Amino acid sequence: MKRPIDLLCGRLEEAARSGETLNMKYFYAATTLDIINDYCFARQPENVLKSDFARKTHDDVDGLLKMSLLNLHIPGLIRFNYYLPDAITKILSPAMVGILDFRTDLSRQVEAIRHGRDKAHEKATHRTIFHDLLSGKLPPAEIKRDRLRDEAFSLVTAGSGTTAYVLRGTAYHICKNQSICNRLHEELKTVMPERDSVPSLSGLEKLPYLTAVIQEGLRVCEPVTHRLGRRFPEKALDYHGKTIPAGTTVSMTSILIHQNENIFTEPNMFKPERWLENKGLERYLVPFNRGSRVCLGLNLARAELYLVLAYVFRRFEFDVSQVVEERDIVLTRDYILGAPARDSPGILVKVEREAIEVERKNTNKSHIFRRRQMNLSLVTRHDLSSRVCVRCLIRLSRLNPRLTRNASTARSLASPKFSKQRVPQRAYFAANSIRDSFGNNVYGPLWSHFFTNQSFNGSQSTSASAASHPWSASTTSEPPQESPIITRARRRRKDLDNAQASILHSSTAALPPDASSQLTALSTTHPPSSLKRLLTSCLALSKPRLSFLMVLTTAASYSLYPTPSLLQSLTSTTATDALNTTPSLSALTLLYLTLGTSLCSASANTLNMLLEPTHDAKMTRTRNRPLVRNLISSRAALLFALLTAAGGVAGLYWGVNPTVSFLGGFNILLYAGLYTPLKRISAVNTWVGAVVGGIPPLMGWAAASGQYATGSGEWTELLLGVENVGGWLLASLLFAWQFPHFNALSWTIREEYKAAGYRMLCWTNPARNGRVALRYAVVMLPVCWGLSYVGVTDWGYVVTSSVVNGWVLREAVRFWRLEGTKGSARGLFWAGVWQLPILMVLAMGHKRGLWEGVWRRAFGEAEEDMLEDSEEESIEGKLVA
């Protein structure tokens, strides 16, 4: 158990030095997971060593708990899942992907032990659970593969998650209340005099205040919030004069006991003192249950609580200023284990080294000041004692002796020879600063001549240096001026840092908020039960910008359909024929088409948000969506999705034609039923999403084609045949456009996709991500040329479209060569944003026959001339006859 805890302390030490923000939710869970893995399989710690503390594993378990709540009410559902192959279950339930892989890995470990391939227990200093089970005398039925796999899954998940839950909650309350933290620290010093002391478990269990803190943590941070059922099957149970029939399930929630005001005064307050004042309260502490069904891991969990809290809080403190208690600590959901709000990022903390001595000054305001425990005292003119750590002391001892001379004896630092030498930078002095008794950074006399204005002329005496010293009696004067040498060096360093920051910002700057996030923010300004909040939330669910893009591509494809009357005007022999042939498509059909497409898009987008609110909460780009913010209930969102789907499909059926209606409904199923689950399974989801984007142009083409169908209007007539190649080219254009655009967008937030568990090429295979974007940027050139070749546009479109596509191709080449850095990702992203609407507008402007008809109407022959020509033609006809 000590090995994972030592590794955790090492990670916390690194975070304290670097200033990194850590998540208590994950580093405690990684520690407890490594401990239970060691007891089950004699596995070496691995999760606590991962950079993200195996975040995905813990998130997958959280996802399983949400599904388990449904299984409690529908018991047959989980049995049905067990009978399905894992591949099918992953498609039907994306939340189960990680859990199924985790369970498979546990099964492999058990089988390796069974067949003698795993000899880790021989090197372990303790017995392990599954080595003992398999080497014992249990009947074969009890040690079957599936049975032991499920036992391993239960032990690992329950043995890690519940203890970690109590640890992170208890640690937060300790850090929140400084008096508790100070008292606990003082008590821990009695058994751990030094930071690296190794206490015994029995010694820690004898500490009264640590025991009280753990008891209060078990009470306040009770992990199991759901009622646990017990059954007495053999005979009736007599309970206080009441008879409970045999086989009756009796359930009770322990958290209701722990929050009972009649037992615990101020139950919502974290007060360890209550356990010291009233020992009788221990009979009401039931986090592990009681009786024959008491938790088997009780002793292991208690040992973990004692050791982890002792090791951590003897060495470190945590800054919990980023934690919002109502969002990150208070339970708002019941998933068997309690859960905070959906938008909670976890318990984000900064680590501070616990190398401090606490000074209490009994003033009226009871201010508490801290001073770091160092090894060397430096006495100043005000006799304020400060201390320097050993690491800094060693570095100071290696300083060039010339830098420690008095200013009166040192050579002039302004000389040309000195100007060529290396000048100490600001970062050095900041790293070796000294703190006064109030914790303020001050500069010591050892290097004060670098920061005073008298040190570089060589004529000032030591007394002058002392008079201008920042600790002297004249400290109320203005800050000392820096030398020109250091000023120039610092300016150059600052310019370099700014240049590097600008490069980094240009490549990874946050994207502007989407319309859904803006509408969600607007929705929060309206009263909770108002109609305005409901309407804005529903509009946010529909992803209005994405829906508008779908409608735009559908309407553009509809308008680009080469109507027979327009083509007839090109071959008409007289101006009268040209004037009488007015090409048009039904405006009413276009109205039904746009409304139906927008409703189908809104339904698909809403279902997408319904299926992944937990994962949306992990990404900055999506954490402001209405379901994540709880601005609308899941039931209301589902009702909105069903109504818009029904309205969209019905409108397309009655107002356009059945083929377009089928395409609209199929796109909803494809987006919500296949693309959304695949996002957490395989990077193939990007290709499926591209198919979803390519269907709207087909819908617009089929809507126009249906108005000029000469047959029965079946889907084969509307979508197949040489005359419909233009529709498929437009669909291919939309299909290809999405890859450079999305691959660039996803690269800028690749770490968020990775943390959320979405398998995108931007992080699973970054090199392929650039190649795919470049490949489809090239494909768009011949696709646009094909529109002119098949007669949808005139040949001028080849030139104009090539200019736009060439711009995007150039950005795609930069994105591929620079691998997304130096602003290439944002350049390709914005190029894609403008590319599609420009190509669509240009295609409508270059529609074949459009400008010829305009020319004929503008510069056609006069009506008298046309009449004379018609009379002459009729006379000539009679003569011939």
Side-chain angles (χ1 to χ4, degrees):
M1 192 181 297
K2 184 177 180 298
R3 173 65 173 161
I5 299 175
D6 284 340
L7 292 175
L8 171 63
C9 291
R11 292 292 306 276
L12 296 179
E13 187 78 29
E14 294 175 4
R17 287 197 296 265
S18 64
E20 179 187 2
T21 298
L22 298 181
N23 198 326
M24 275 190 182
K25 174 181 178 181
Y26 297 114
F27 67 69
Y28 280 132
T31 306
T32 56
L33 182 57
D34 281 339
I35 291 174
I36 192 63
N37 276 335
D38 188 17
Y39 273 89
C40 287
F41 309 106
R43 287 181 60 174
Q44 293 297 316
E46 57 180 0
N47 297 288
V48 76
L49 295 175
K50 295 181 179 179
S51 59
D52 61 348
F53 295 100
R55 174 174 180 166
K56 186 177 182 300
T57 300
H58 311 310
D59 289 341
D60 289 338
V61 174
D62 290 343
L64 174 67
L65 291 175
K66 297 174 184 179
M67 294 188 61
S68 298
L69 189 61
L70 179 62
N71 294 329
L72 289 175
H73 300 283
I74 310 176
L77 182 61
I78 193 170
R79 297 191 186 96
F80 174 74
N81 285 336
Y82 278 146
Y83 290 122
L84 290 176
D86 286 354
I88 297 178
T89 304
K90 290 179 180 180
I91 296 176
L92 296 178
S93 180
M96 293 289 291
V97 173
I99 288 297
L100 291 174
D101 293 340
F102 182 51
R103 193 177 65 160
T104 302
D105 180 62
L106 292 176
S107 181
R108 283 197 295 264
Q109 294 182 63
V110 172
E111 294 307 303
I113 297 172
R114 184 197 304 272
H115 298 292
R117 297 191 301 271
D118 188 342
K119 302 290 186 180
H121 68 288
E122 297 177 358
K123 300 179 182 179
T125 58
H126 56 82
R127 299 169 62 188
T128 60
I129 296 175
F130 286 94
H131 290 92
D132 279 8
L133 285 176
L134 290 169
S135 61
K137 298 180 180 180
L138 291 174
E142 296 292 330
I143 56 174
K144 288 183 177 180
R145 182 179 63 87
D146 292 348
R147 171 66 184 271
L148 290 184
R149 177 201 61 195
D150 294 341
E151 291 287 355
F153 184 78
S154 299
L155 282 170
V156 171
T157 54
S160 61
T162 53
T163 310
Y165 190 96
V166 178
L167 278 172
R168 70 186 191 231
T170 305
Y172 166 76
H173 286 291
I174 293 174
C175 299
K176 177 187 174 185
N177 193 319
Q178 194 61 55
S179 63
I180 296 177
C181 185
N182 293 339
R183 184 172 178 181
L184 178 62
H185 177 70
E186 291 297 326
E187 185 180 68
L188 288 173
K189 288 171 63 177
T190 61
V191 294
M192 302 175 68
E194 303 296 334
R195 296 180 71 250
D196 298 330
S197 299
V198 180
S200 65
L201 178 58
S202 59
L204 293 174
E205 290 175 337
K206 295 176 182 178
L207 297 179
Y209 195 70
L210 175 59
T211 301
V213 167
I214 291 175
Q215 289 175 324
E216 186 70 352
L218 289 169
R219 184 191 69 83
V220 175
C221 310
E222 164 67 43
V224 181
T225 54
H226 196 75
R227 60 184 183 274
L228 299 178
R230 298 291 183 263
R231 181 177 297 176
F232 199 69
E234 298 178 357
K235 59 182 179 179
L237 178 64
D238 185 24
Y239 181 76
H240 290 284
K242 296 183 179 180
T243 301
I244 301 177
T248 303
T249 300
V250 179
S251 302
M252 190 168 185
T253 306
S254 57
I255 196 172
L256 297 180
I257 300 176
H258 296 158
Q259 297 294 325
N260 192 328
E261 295 182 356
N262 297 326
I263 303 174
F264 301 98
T265 57
E266 297 181 320
N268 294 322
M269 297 292 294
F270 190 87
K271 297 172 59 177
E273 292 76 11
R274 74 173 83 238
W275 302 96
L276 301 176
E277 298 166 357
N278 186 358
K279 296 293 185 179
L281 291 178
E282 294 182 6
R283 66 188 300 262
Y284 298 106
L285 186 63
V286 289
F288 301 101
N289 293 310
R290 295 284 178 84
S292 60
R293 292 301 304 273
V294 68
C295 177
L296 295 177
L298 182 151
N299 294 324
L300 176 63
R302 285 190 178 274
E304 289 179 279
L305 293 174
Y306 273 102
L307 291 171
V308 173
L309 292 177
Y311 273 81
V312 169
F313 282 96
R314 177 60 183 90
R315 304 181 185 186
F316 307 98
E317 280 192 348
F318 300 101
D319 176 9
V320 294
S321 58
Q322 300 182 55
V323 180
V324 180
E325 186 166 349
E326 293 75 14
R327 179 195 64 188
D328 304 326
I329 303 297
V330 176
L331 303 182
T332 60
R333 296 175 293 164
D334 173 20
Y335 292 138
I336 300 180
L337 296 185
R342 289 183 185 273
D343 58 343
S344 171
I347 305 177
L348 302 178
V349 298
K350 284 187 175 295
V351 188
E352 299 176 355
R353 292 187 63 192
E354 183 56 26
I356 64 172
E357 291 288 347
V358 180
E359 295 182 357
R360 298 179 178 85
K361 293 191 176 181
N362 297 322
T363 61
N364 294 333
K365 296 182 179 180
S366 300
H367 291 299
I368 300 177
F369 298 97
R370 295 182 178 172
R371 183 176 57 191
R372 291 194 177 275
Q373 186 181 23
M374 304 292 185
N375 293 320
L376 178 66
S377 297
L378 295 176
V379 181
T380 69
R381 293 179 62 89
H382 282 292
D383 199 24
L384 299 175
S385 60
S386 300
R387 296 175 181 272
V388 180
C389 67
V390 175
R391 181 172 61 91
C392 295
L393 180 61
I394 296 174
R395 293 180 64 182
L396 292 177
S397 65
R398 296 173 182 171
L399 282 176
N400 192 328
R402 288 176 295 176
L403 301 182
T404 63
R405 294 177 183 174
N406 292 331
S408 60
T409 61
R411 280 178 291 179
S412 175
L413 300 182
S415 64
K417 182 177 181 180
F418 183 83
S419 63
K420 297 179 181 179
Q421 297 177 359
R422 181 176 181 271
V423 180
Q425 301 295 324
R426 181 179 183 181
Y428 173 80
F429 295 106
N432 293 278
S433 60
I434 304 178
R435 295 177 182 269
D436 61 18
S437 60
F438 297 98
N440 300 316
N441 283 329
V442 293
Y443 296 108
L446 198 59
W447 46 77
S448 61
H449 60 275
F450 283 110
F451 288 84
T452 54
N453 56 3
Q454 86 292 348
S455 302
F456 295 92
N457 55 18
S459 62
Q460 300 293 336
S461 64
T462 307
S463 61
S465 176
S468 60
H469 192 277
W471 288 348
S472 65
S474 60
T475 52
T476 56
S477 61
E478 294 183 0
Q481 300 295 323
E482 295 179 347
S483 74
I485 298 176
I486 291 185
T487 301
R488 289 194 297 270
R490 184 175 298 175
R491 187 183 298 116
R492 288 193 298 270
R493 180 63 182 174
K494 183 177 181 180
D495 293 341
L496 180 60
D497 291 343
N498 291 338
Q500 293 175 347
S502 64
I503 293 174
L504 179 64
H505 177 77
S506 64
S507 62
T508 60
L511 295 173
D514 57 14
S516 294
S517 298
Q518 295 175 352
L519 287 169
T520 302
L522 176 62
S523 179
T524 58
T525 62
H526 300 309
S529 302
S530 64
L531 181 61
K532 289 184 177 180
R533 169 172 283 198
L534 179 62
L535 292 178
T536 52
S537 297
C538 290
L539 188 58
L541 288 173
S542 65
K543 299 182 185 177
R545 289 180 184 172
L546 181 59
S547 296
F548 175 75
L549 180 63
M550 295 297 100
V551 172
L552 173 65
T553 56
T554 305
S557 179
Y558 179 81
S559 65
L560 284 172
Y561 182 81
T563 57
S565 53
L566 179 61
L567 299 179
Q568 181 183 351
S569 66
L570 296 177
T571 58
S572 58
T573 57
T574 65
T576 304
D577 296 336
L579 292 173
N580 290 335
T581 55
T582 304
S584 65
L585 290 166
S586 172
L588 183 60
T589 302
L590 178 62
L591 178 63
Y592 275 108
L593 177 65
T594 54
L595 287 177
T597 303
S598 61
L599 290 175
C600 288
S601 178
S603 175
N605 292 326
T606 303
L607 291 173
N608 171 264
M609 292 190 190
L610 267 171
L611 292 173
E612 48 190 23
T614 304
H615 308 299
D616 283 345
K618 302 172 187 175
M619 298 182 63
T620 305
R621 179 169 165 263
T622 57
R623 66 176 50 165
N624 201 36
R625 287 179 173 177
L627 284 170
V628 178
R629 295 282 301 275
N630 291 321
L631 298 178
I632 187 173
S633 66
S634 299
R635 182 178 299 177
L638 178 60
L639 180 62
F640 175 71
L642 295 177
L643 289 177
T644 50
V649 173
L652 293 174
Y653 184 87
W654 297 107
V656 187
N657 58 59
T659 300
V660 177
S661 177
F662 171 79
L663 290 175
F666 175 72
N667 222 19
I668 295 174
L669 295 177
L670 191 63
Y671 187 72
L674 185 58
Y675 166 73
T676 301
L678 274 177
K679 288 166 68 177
R680 294 181 59 80
I681 299 175
S682 170
V684 177
N685 71 82
T686 307
W687 278 263
V688 177
V691 173
V692 173
I695 288 179
L698 278 180
M699 295 170 60
W701 188 274
S705 178
Q707 298 182 46
Y708 294 95
T710 57
S712 59
E714 297 289 338
W715 69 273
T716 54
E717 184 180 1
L718 303 184
L719 295 177
L720 302 182
V722 179
E723 65 277 8
N724 294 316
V725 173
W728 290 98
L729 286 173
L730 289 171
S732 301
L733 179 65
L734 265 293
F735 178 85
W737 169 81
Q738 293 177 78
F739 288 94
H741 175 71
F742 177 75
N743 287 15
L745 180 149
S746 63
W747 190 92
T748 60
I749 52 175
R750 59 196 181 281
E751 293 300 328
E752 294 194 11
Y753 273 122
K754 183 177 181 179
Y758 293 133
R759 302 192 63 82
M760 303 297 176
L761 283 177
C762 56
W763 69 270
T764 59
N765 194 338
R768 188 184 180 193
N769 186 63
R771 293 197 303 269
V772 169
L774 177 60
R775 183 183 308 146
Y776 284 97
V778 173
V779 167
M780 296 187 71
L781 285 165
V783 169
C784 290
W785 299 341
L787 291 174
S788 299
Y789 180 79
V790 299
V792 175
T793 61
D794 58 36
W795 287 101
Y797 186 63
V798 172
V799 179
T800 56
S801 66
S802 297
V803 174
V804 180
N805 289 331
W807 169 39
V808 175
L809 180 59
R810 173 180 173 274
E811 295 296 333
V813 171
R814 288 188 66 243
F815 178 71
W816 168 63
R817 292 182 61 186
L818 299 176
E819 297 182 352
T821 60
K822 298 185 179 181
S824 59
R826 290 185 64 83
L828 180 57
F829 169 75
W830 286 111
V833 168
W834 288 103
Q835 178 191 26
L836 185 63
I838 292 175
L839 287 179
M840 288 298 177
V841 171
L842 287 175
M844 289 186 287
H846 284 282
K847 183 177 180 180
R848 185 186 176 194
L850 178 64
W851 295 107
E852 288 83 349
V854 172
W855 179 270
R856 286 178 180 273
R857 287 178 176 78
F859 303 102
E861 297 176 354
E863 185 175 355
E864 293 80 3
D865 295 338
M866 288 188 294
L867 291 175
E868 291 177 0
D869 291 342
S870 61
E871 289 177 358
E872 291 177 0
E873 290 176 359
S874 62
I875 292 173
E876 291 176 357
K878 291 179 181 179
L879 292 176
V880 172

